[in-house]
Amino acid sequence: MTIKEQIMADMKEAMKARDAARLGAIRLLMAAIKQKEVDEQVAADDAMVNALIAKLVKQRRDSIEQYMAAQRPDLAEKEQAEIDVLATYLPKQLTAEEIDVMIDEAIAAVGMTGMAAMGKVMGMLKPKLTGRADMGQVSGMIKKKLMG
């Protein structure tokens, strides 16, 4: 079963259970998938869906920061509830140690050091890590290794 099929099944389940919060988050995700399919005129595969989910989760995290700065915990809670639903469709998140090993391998494969290697290392890691790690954190880890 593809991720998209699982999302559709979960949407039907949420409708039957009358779980409005979960249904709203799933509908939001389905709308994003359909929009991407229409825009690019392709059928969404698991990799594309994972990238979309990661993007939506990142947007929600950014919103939570802004809501907390504006002292609106009620809105931040709503965003966190959506993250909780969306995160169920993401692959298992990697640990810092696993990411560290992958960064070391990518740096060794590129054979360069310093900030000149940053783009190449990120290019190698992005397809492997999208949806499995926060790319902002990964970028910071790579910078530390290349500069240190």
Side-chain angles (χ1 to χ4, degrees):
M1 178 181 270
T2 66
I3 296 172
K4 187 176 169 187
E5 290 167 346
Q6 180 63 49
I7 294 167
M8 294 290 284
D10 289 351
M11 186 165 72
K12 289 175 188 168
E13 242 177 67
M15 282 181 191
K16 287 179 185 172
R18 300 191 189 284
D19 186 347
R22 187 156 196 257
L23 182 60
I26 293 172
R27 280 188 171 151
L28 179 101
L29 175 56
M30 282 305 300
I33 292 169
K34 284 189 173 125
Q35 184 67 48
K36 186 84 166 171
E37 288 177 332
V38 168
D39 288 351
E40 297 183 13
Q41 298 180 349
V42 294
D45 60 356
D46 282 356
M48 185 183 288
V49 172
N50 278 335
L52 262 174
I53 295 170
K55 180 180 173 186
L56 291 172
V57 168
K58 182 181 184 315
Q59 288 173 345
R60 301 289 163 299
R61 285 195 178 119
D62 292 344
S63 295
I64 287 173
E65 284 179 30
Q66 292 174 0
Y67 288 143
M68 294 309 276
Q71 298 178 356
R72 292 294 309 265
D74 54 322
L75 295 175
E77 284 176 27
K78 181 179 178 285
E79 295 291 320
Q80 184 59 51
E82 286 182 5
I83 288 174
D84 295 343
V85 172
L86 295 172
T88 61
Y89 300 109
L90 286 173
K92 183 180 135 315
Q93 297 295 296
L94 296 173
T95 64
E97 293 79 28
E98 291 170 319
I99 295 168
D100 217 29
V101 169
M102 293 176 86
I103 291 171
D104 289 340
E105 290 170 358
I107 290 171
V110 168
M112 296 167 58
T113 57
M115 289 311 290
M118 182 74 184
K120 290 186 187 248
V121 173
M122 277 299 280
M124 285 181 70
L125 291 174
K126 191 166 184 166
K128 296 176 188 173
L129 296 178
T130 300
R132 300 175 67 199
D134 178 356
M135 293 309 289
Q137 281 183 321
V138 171
S139 176
M141 291 169 74
I142 294 170
K143 281 181 187 167
K144 254 189 216 168
K145 285 192 178 281
L146 291 175
M147 298 305 284

